[in-house]
C-alpha cells in the first residue's frame, strides 16, 4: 500500500531485513528498521529541501521484529525518516506517537537542524498530567532529515594503516571545532571542521609536538539539551548523541561531503597520527521521560531504553543524563556494534574511548566484565584489533570499576590524575601513592594479565580544569554556565599559589610555570600511556571554568594567538625523550629492584639510599628519586656484554630547596642532565650532590656496559 504526496511515487517491494538502515543497491534503496512493539511503520520521503513531505510508504513486511521495504529507483541523496504507530502507554513503557517524525538509528548523515518547538515532544508540554498526555502536532517541520548515502566513496580515499602500539602512543585529546576554530592560517570555510583538522597548519603543529594519536571528543550527530537552548547555550562537547553513524553535521565544511571525515583520517595517517573517537553509547539526546522524541523513544521506547522495572514510565538514570541506553537488548547491542564497525571499516578510525563505560557493562544484576557488550566487542574480528579505552565509571550502582575491565581494554586512570595533582601540590603522605601511579598502577591492572599500557595516564582532560588553570585557581568559576556556579567538580586538587586567577606577581607565575612543567614531565615519564589535553602544552586557560561543556566560544576554543611557545617546546622535548628511551614504556610491570641493571625501576630517598618500608612510612616526605633502566634499542653486541641506558629522575615537591645525593651504584657514575624545571642550570659537586630548588625536578641520563 502506498500513500503519495504531490504525485511522487516509487515502486515498493518487500525488500530484506538486513542490513538495517538505508542501503543503496543497483536498483534502488532498501529500508530496514527494528521495532518490537510497533503496529505500523511508515517510511516518509521528503523533497531536496527537507521541508516538504512528498510521499509515505507503509512498510508491510516484517521479519523477526524488523520492518523492511525496497524502493526501486531511489538514489543517493534521498531524504527520509519514519513515523511509527503503536500504543501510547507511558505507564507500560510505550511512547508511540505517529505525529512525530523519527530519525533512522542507522542514518549515515543528517541534513538540517532540530528546532526546539513544542511539537518535538510526544506529549503536551503544557498539560497538567505532563507525559501522560498526547500531542498531535507534526514534528517533521522542526526536525533534520536522514540522507541516503553511497558508501562507495571509501574506494576513492585510501587509508594507510599505522598500527602504532598503544604502549608507544602519545594521545592528544582535542575537539574538532575548538582546536581549529581560531587558527589564522586555516581558511574560513574549514575552521571548526574535519577538513580544518586535516589542514597543513594543524598537521605541522601535531607533528612538531610529537603526537602519535588524537582522541576526538564526540563526533557522532548530537543535539543540544533543551535547558541549554533556553539559556542561549549549546552542548559544545557533544556528549548528547542521537545518530551513532552520522558525523556531526556542523563539523562538515561548506564544500564537504560525508567523505570529508575519511579524508581527514587518511591525511592524519599519512602524517603518522592515528584517530580515536570518544563515543557515547550510554545515553541519548532524548533525555528523561519528559524529554523530546527524536528517534529511539518513538521507534520503541521499551526496547531501546532501560526502564524502572516497577515504574516503566520512568527511565533508569545511571548516566546522570536522564536515560540509559539498553545494551542488554540484542538489537540495541547490534546497533552499537554496527556503529563501531562502520567507523573502523568505512571511516577508518583506529579505536574508541567509551564514555561512562560502566553503563555498557551493566547487566540486570550489576556490572559484569563478561557482559554481552564486552563479549561481543572482544570476539569481533574487526573490533578486537583496534584500540579500546574505557572511562571506568558512571553514577549507577557499583559504577566505579577502575581496573575491572576485560584484558582487551585500557582505562582512564583518575587515581593517577589525583595522585599527581596532590603530590605536586605538596600534600602529605602521598609518596607511596605517587610511586604506584608512576609505576603504572599494577595494583589495578596486573591481576588479569594486563601491562602498564592498560593505564591511560592523564593530569587533565576535557572534564575539569586545564593544566594552566589547575595551577592558577583554587576554586571553580563556572558562572558562565548559568547554574550559579553549582556545576562541575568542587574538589580539583588544585592550587593558585597565593592569588586566584591571572596575576602579575613574578614569583607566583614562576611557581606556576615550574608546576606545569613538573606535572607534564611526570606524565611523559610514567609507565603507562600518556594522554595530553590539547592546550595544556601551550598554557591555554578556560578562565577557571572546570565544566566548559556548554562554552562554544573562546572559553572553550584553542587560542592560537596566545601560545606559550616555551612550554610547547618543553613538551615536545619530553615527548622526544619518551620516544627515545624504551624503559619509559616497559611491556610488563617491574617488581624486582635487584633487576635494575637489566630492565628495572628502583626508588631512592634524597640521600641516595634505596627506599625501604620506614622511608615510605614517613608522612612528611616530599622528595624522591627513581632510576629506570632498559636495554638500548639499537644494541647488538653479542653475549659478552650488555649495553644499557638509565634515567634518574629527582623530585622535590617541597616549598623548600633540598640537596640530593645521586645514588651510588656500580656501573652508574657519569650522569648527564637532560632536563630540569628549576630556574638555573644544575651543578653536581664532587660528592655527587646537587641542589633542587622548591617544587622542581631534574632528569639525568647515563649509558653503561656491564660485562658478564
Amino acid at each position: 500500500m502506498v500513500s503519495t504526496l504531490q504525485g511522487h511515487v516509487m515502486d515498493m517491494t518487500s525488500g530484506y531485513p538486513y542490513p538495517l538502515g538505508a542501503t543503496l543497491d543497483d536498483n534502488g534503496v532498501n529500508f530496514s528498521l527494528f521495532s518490537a512493539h510497533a503496529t505500523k511503520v511508515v517510511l516518509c520521503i521528503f523533497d531536496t529541501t527537507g521541508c516538504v513531505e512528498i510521499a509515505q510508504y507503509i512498510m508491510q513486511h516484517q521479519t523477526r521484529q524488523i520492518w523492511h521495504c525496497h524502493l526501486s529507483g531511489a538514489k543517493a541523496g534521498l531524504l527520509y525518516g519514519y513515523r511509527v504507530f503503536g500504543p501510547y502507554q507511558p505507564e507500560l513503557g510505550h511512547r508511540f506517537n505517529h505525529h512525530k517524525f523519527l530519525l533512522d538509528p542507522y542514518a549515515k548523515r543528517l541534513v538540517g537542524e532540530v528546532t526546539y518547538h513544542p511539537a518535538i515532544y510526544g506529549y503536551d508540554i503544557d498539560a497538567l498530567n505532563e507525559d501522560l498526555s498526547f500531542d498531535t502536532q507534526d514534528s517533521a517541520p522542526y526536525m533534520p532529515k536522514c540522507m541516503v548515502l553511497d558508501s562507495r566513496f571509501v574506494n576513492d580515499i585510501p587509508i594507510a594503516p599505522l598500527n602504532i602500539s598503544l604502549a608507544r602512543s602519545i594521545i592528544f585529546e582535542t575537539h574538532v571545532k575548538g582546536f581549529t576554530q581560531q587558527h589564522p592560517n586555516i581558511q574560513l570555510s574549514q575552521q571548526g571542521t574535519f577538513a580544518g583538522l586535516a589542514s597543513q597548519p594543524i598537521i605541522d603543529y601535531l607533528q612538531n609536538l610529537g603526537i602519535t594519536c588524537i582522541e576526538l571528543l564526540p563526533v557522532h550527530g548530537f543535539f543540544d539539551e533543551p535547558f541549554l537552548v533556553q539559556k542561549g547555550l549549546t552542548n559544545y562537547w557533544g556528549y548528547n548523541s542521537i545518530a551513532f553513524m552520522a558525523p556531526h553535521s556542523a563539523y562538515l565544511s561548506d564544500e564537504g561531503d560525508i567523505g570529508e571525515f575519511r579524508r581527514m583520517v587518511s591525511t592524519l595517517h599519512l602524517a603518522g597520527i592515528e584517530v580515536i573517537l570518544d563515543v557515547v553509547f550510554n545515553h541519548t539526546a532524548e533525555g528523561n521521560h519528559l524529554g523530546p522524541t527524536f528517534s529511539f523513544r518513538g521507534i520503541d521506547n521499551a526496547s531501546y531504553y532501560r526502564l524502572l522495572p516497577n515504574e516503566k514510565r520512568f527511565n533508569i538514570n545511571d548516566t546522570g543524563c536522564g536515560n540509559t541506553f539498553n545494551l542488554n537488548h540484542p538489537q540495541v547491542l547490534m546497533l552499537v556494534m554496527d556503529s563501531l564497525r562502520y567507523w573502523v571499516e568505512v571511516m577508518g578510525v583506529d579505536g574508541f574511548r567509551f564514555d561512562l563505560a560502566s553503563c555498557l557493562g551493566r547487566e540486570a544484576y550489576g556490572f559484569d566484565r563478561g557482559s554481552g557488550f564486552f563479549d561481543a566487542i572482544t570476539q569481533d574480528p574487526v573490533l578486537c584489533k583496534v584500540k579500546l579505552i574505557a572511562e571506568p565509571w558512571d553514577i549507577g550502582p557499583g559504577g566505579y570499576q577502575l581496573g575491572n575491565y576485560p584484558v582487551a581494554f585500557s582505562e582512564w586512570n583518575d587515581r593517577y590524575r589525583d595522585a599527581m595533582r596532590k603530590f605536586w601540590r605538596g600534600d602529605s603522605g602521598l609518596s607511596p601513592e605517587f610511586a604506584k601511579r608512576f609505576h603504572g598502577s599494577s595494583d589495578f591492572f596486573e591481576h588479569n594479565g594486563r601491562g602498564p599500557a592498560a593505564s591511560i595516564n592523564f593530569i587533565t582532560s576535557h572534564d575539569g580544569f586545564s593544566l594552566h588553570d589547575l595551577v592558577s585557581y583554587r576554586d571553580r568559576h563556572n558562572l558562565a554556565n548559568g547554574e550559579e556556579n553549582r556545576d562541575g567538580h568542587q574538589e580539583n586538587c588544585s592550587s593558585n599559589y597565593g592569588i586566584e586567577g591571572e596575576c602579575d606577581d613574578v614569583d607566583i607565575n614562576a611557581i606556576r610555570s615550574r608546576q606545569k612543567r613538573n606535572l607534564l614531565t611526570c606524565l611523559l615519564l610514567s609507565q603507562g600511556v600518556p594522554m595530553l589535553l590539547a592546550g595544556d602544552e601551550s598554557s591555554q586557560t578556560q578562565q577557571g571554568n572546570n565544566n566548559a561543556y556548554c562554552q562554544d566560544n573562546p572559553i572553550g576554543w584553542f587560542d592560537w594567538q596566545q601560545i606559550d611557545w616555551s612550554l610547547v617546546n618543553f613538551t615536545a622535548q619530553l615527548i622526544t625523550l619518551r620516544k627515545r628511551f624504551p624503559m619509559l614504556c616497559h611491556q610488563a610491570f617491574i617488581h624486582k629492584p635487584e633487576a635494575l641493571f637489566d630492565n628495572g625501576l628502583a626508588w631512592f630517598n634524597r640521600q641516595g639510599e634505596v627506599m625501604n618500608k620506614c622511608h615510605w612510612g614517613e608522612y612528611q616526605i616530599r622528595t624522591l628519586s627513581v632510576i629506570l633502566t632498559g636495554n638500548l634499542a639499537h644494541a647488538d653486541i653479542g653475549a659478552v656484554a650488555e649495553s644499557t641506558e638509565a634515567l634518574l629522575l629527582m623530585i622535590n615537591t617541597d616549598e623548600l630547596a633540598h640537596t640530593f645525593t645521586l645514588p651510588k651504584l656500580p656501573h652508574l657514575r657519569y650522569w648527564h642532565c637532560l632536563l630540569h624545571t628549576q630556574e638555573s642550570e644544575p651543578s653536581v659537586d664532587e660528592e655527587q650532590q646537587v641542589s633542587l630548588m622548591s617544587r622542581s625536578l631534574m632528569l639525568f641520563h647515563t649509558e653503561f656496559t656491564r660485562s658478564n
Side-chain angles (χ1 to χ4, degrees):
M1 179 179 180
V2 179
S3 173
T4 66
L5 297 176
Q6 296 186 1
H8 186 98
V9 181
M10 286 179 283
D11 292 335
M12 182 180 72
T13 56
S14 62
Y16 37 89
Y18 297 103
L20 286 151
T23 306
L24 185 71
D25 59 35
D26 292 338
N27 300 313
V29 178
N30 190 80
F31 294 89
S32 176
L33 180 76
F34 161 74
S35 179
H37 300 99
T39 58
K40 183 169 73 172
V41 176
V42 177
L43 172 65
C44 305
I45 306 299
F46 286 76
D47 70 356
T48 56
T49 69
C51 299
V52 180
E53 190 171 358
I54 57 177
Q56 292 184 345
Y57 296 84
I58 298 175
M59 302 173 73
Q60 298 177 323
H61 297 272
Q62 184 185 25
T63 303
R64 295 192 298 272
Q65 302 178 337
I66 296 175
W67 304 74
H68 51 89
C69 72
H70 185 278
L71 295 187
S72 62
K75 300 178 186 280
L78 185 72
L79 301 183
Y80 74 100
Y82 295 99
R83 299 181 188 275
V84 180
F85 292 70
Y88 187 82
Q89 298 172 320
E91 304 96 325
L92 300 179
H94 301 308
R95 296 180 179 272
F96 295 99
N97 186 336
H98 60 277
H99 301 285
K100 307 306 166 185
F101 176 82
L102 304 174
L103 300 174
D104 182 358
Y106 279 77
K108 305 301 193 300
R109 184 172 182 181
L110 301 183
V111 177
E113 303 293 334
V114 66
T115 299
Y116 283 86
H117 183 277
I120 66 174
Y121 294 84
Y123 64 96
D124 182 351
I125 62 173
D126 295 321
L128 293 178
N129 58 347
E130 297 181 320
D131 59 308
L132 298 180
S133 63
F134 187 78
D135 185 75
T136 60
Q137 298 176 85
D138 181 11
S139 68
Y142 310 101
M143 289 284 292
K145 308 303 181 294
C146 309
M147 176 184 281
V148 175
L149 290 185
D150 184 350
S151 61
R152 287 174 292 190
F153 69 82
V154 172
N155 300 324
D156 300 325
I157 310 171
I159 293 180
L162 291 177
N163 299 318
I164 299 171
S165 165
L166 183 60
R168 302 291 292 177
S169 296
I170 312 293
I171 300 176
F172 191 72
E173 190 195 28
T174 191
H175 188 284
V176 171
K177 180 176 182 179
F179 194 50
T180 62
Q181 182 68 24
Q182 297 190 108
H183 199 295
N185 297 327
I186 297 177
Q187 59 184 358
L188 191 60
S189 64
Q190 294 186 351
Q191 290 178 354
T193 70
F194 300 122
L197 199 57
S199 65
Q200 197 58 49
I202 296 297
I203 296 293
D204 290 344
Y205 182 84
L206 295 173
Q207 285 185 315
N208 291 335
L209 194 57
I211 299 303
T212 69
C213 175
I214 58 172
E215 182 177 304
L216 299 179
L217 268 67
V219 301
H220 290 171
F222 63 86
F223 292 161
D224 301 321
E225 294 89 338
F227 79 92
L228 287 176
V229 175
Q230 292 172 2
K231 295 177 182 178
L233 299 171
T234 62
N235 189 319
Y236 168 59
W237 286 349
Y239 289 92
N240 208 39
S241 299
I242 195 62
F244 298 136
M245 295 189 181
H248 188 55
S249 299
Y251 298 161
L252 294 170
S253 61
D254 293 343
E255 57 276 351
D257 56 22
I258 203 67
E260 182 178 324
F261 184 93
R262 185 174 170 93
R263 283 191 289 272
M264 175 196 74
V265 176
S266 178
T267 302
L268 287 165
H269 272 213
L270 289 173
I273 301 168
E274 294 187 322
V275 178
I276 290 177
L277 299 187
D278 195 334
V279 290
V280 186
F281 295 119
N282 54 77
H283 76 283
T284 79
E286 292 184 308
N288 64 15
H289 65 290
L290 297 178
T293 296
F294 296 135
S295 178
F296 310 103
R297 174 166 284 141
I299 294 172
D300 193 346
N301 184 70
S303 295
Y304 280 106
Y305 293 113
R306 295 182 62 210
L307 308 176
L308 292 176
N310 299 322
E311 293 183 281
K312 293 186 177 180
R313 176 186 176 188
F314 303 106
N315 298 82
I316 291 174
N317 186 22
D318 290 343
T319 65
C321 299
N323 64 58
T324 303
F325 213 47
N326 185 20
L327 268 71
N328 302 140
H329 193 291
Q331 288 293 155
V332 181
L333 178 59
M334 179 185 288
L335 167 63
V336 171
M337 298 299 292
D338 287 346
S339 168
L340 293 171
R341 279 191 296 270
Y342 177 78
W343 287 97
V344 173
E345 295 183 304
V346 177
M347 294 304 205
V349 305
D350 304 281
F352 304 94
R353 179 265 191 188
F354 297 92
D355 181 64
L356 300 184
S358 292
C359 276
L360 311 183
R362 184 174 284 110
E363 301 286 353
Y365 49 83
F367 178 85
D368 186 349
R369 74 176 69 180
S371 70
F373 169 73
F374 292 139
D375 286 347
I377 200 170
T378 52
Q379 65 79 43
D380 187 279
V382 173
L383 301 177
C384 69
K385 300 175 184 177
V386 304
K387 295 175 173 64
L388 304 172
I389 300 172
E391 181 185 38
W393 53 77
D394 66 13
I395 67 168
Y400 189 77
Q401 293 293 334
L402 180 66
N404 290 330
Y405 281 73
V407 67
F409 280 76
S410 295
E411 304 173 33
W412 271 27
N413 190 346
D414 64 321
R415 288 286 295 271
Y416 178 94
R417 174 198 66 196
D418 294 347
M420 292 295 156
R421 290 183 177 192
K422 292 177 181 178
F423 184 65
W424 277 105
R425 188 172 63 176
D427 291 16
S428 299
L430 263 294
S431 294
E433 177 74 2
F434 168 83
K436 290 178 184 178
R437 304 307 144 226
F438 187 92
H439 174 252
S441 297
S442 61
D443 51 335
F444 286 111
F445 301 113
E446 192 175 24
H447 63 89
N448 63 354
R450 288 186 286 176
S455 178
I456 304 298
N457 299 330
F458 63 103
I459 305 297
T460 64
S461 68
H462 68 275
D463 187 6
F465 279 148
S466 67
L467 180 62
H468 177 81
D469 291 356
L470 183 69
V471 299
S472 303
Y473 293 90
R474 184 187 63 186
D475 303 312
R476 63 191 177 193
H477 296 266
N478 298 353
L479 286 174
N481 296 352
E483 298 182 42
E484 298 180 348
N485 208 38
R486 295 191 303 266
D487 62 306
H489 300 293
Q490 185 170 359
E491 174 51 55
N492 298 281
C493 309
S494 62
S495 177
N496 61 25
Y497 300 100
I499 296 176
E500 187 76 352
E502 303 302 317
C503 71
D504 296 324
D505 188 290
V506 174
D507 293 333
I508 290 176
N509 285 332
I511 293 173
R512 292 174 177 177
S513 178
R514 291 203 306 277
Q515 291 291 62
K516 283 184 276 189
R517 286 162 171 77
N518 293 331
L519 288 162
L520 287 171
T521 301
C522 285
L523 176 64
L524 270 301
L525 299 187
S526 295
Q527 300 296 300
V529 182
M531 185 187 79
L532 184 68
L533 174 65
D536 280 357
E537 80 287 357
S538 61
S539 294
Q540 298 287 307
T541 178
Q542 295 178 166
Q543 301 173 24
N545 192 320
N546 75 348
N547 189 32
Y549 77 104
C550 56
Q551 298 302 320
D552 188 2
N553 54 54
I555 291 177
W557 298 342
F558 194 103
D559 187 351
W560 291 94
Q561 303 298 326
Q562 298 293 328
I563 291 181
D564 181 350
W565 286 107
S566 66
L567 187 59
V568 171
N569 294 334
F570 182 86
T571 306
Q573 181 184 2
L574 286 171
I575 293 174
T576 298
L577 291 175
R578 184 173 182 87
K579 292 178 178 180
R580 172 183 168 187
F581 296 114
M583 75 280 285
L584 298 176
C585 306
H586 282 300
Q587 298 299 307
F589 290 106
I590 304 163
H591 295 297
K592 297 180 179 179
E594 63 271 18
L596 183 62
F597 298 111
D598 296 314
N599 287 282
L601 181 154
W603 296 93
F604 301 84
N605 63 16
R606 71 170 182 265
Q607 288 77 33
E609 303 166 334
V610 175
M611 292 285 287
N612 57 37
K613 290 184 178 179
C614 292
H615 294 143
W616 287 117
E618 294 178 11
Y619 188 72
Q620 297 297 331
I621 186 172
R622 292 188 175 88
T623 57
L624 277 175
S625 292
V626 58
I627 291 180
L628 298 100
T629 61
N631 295 337
L632 285 167
H634 54 78
D636 185 15
I637 53 179
V640 177
E642 186 176 276
S643 184
T644 303
E645 290 180 297
L647 293 175
L648 166 62
L649 178 65
M650 299 192 301
I651 295 170
N652 178 19
T653 70
D654 203 358
E655 297 179 357
L656 303 175
H658 289 285
T659 298
F660 282 65
T661 300
L662 275 65
K664 294 180 174 63
L665 297 171
H667 314 294
L668 303 182
R669 296 179 182 177
Y670 303 105
W671 294 99
H672 167 65
C673 184
L674 293 176
L675 173 146
H676 65 88
T677 62
Q678 61 181 25
E679 295 172 356
S680 58
E681 287 293 325
S683 176
V684 180
D685 64 21
E686 294 179 354
E687 297 182 356
Q688 295 293 287
Q689 292 184 331
V690 61
S691 178
L692 264 71
M693 69 178 298
S694 66
R695 300 187 178 100
S696 68
L697 56 75
M698 294 182 188
L699 179 67
F700 292 85
H701 169 253
T702 190
E703 296 180 14
F704 64 96
T705 299
R706 180 166 59 91
S707 300
N708 290 333

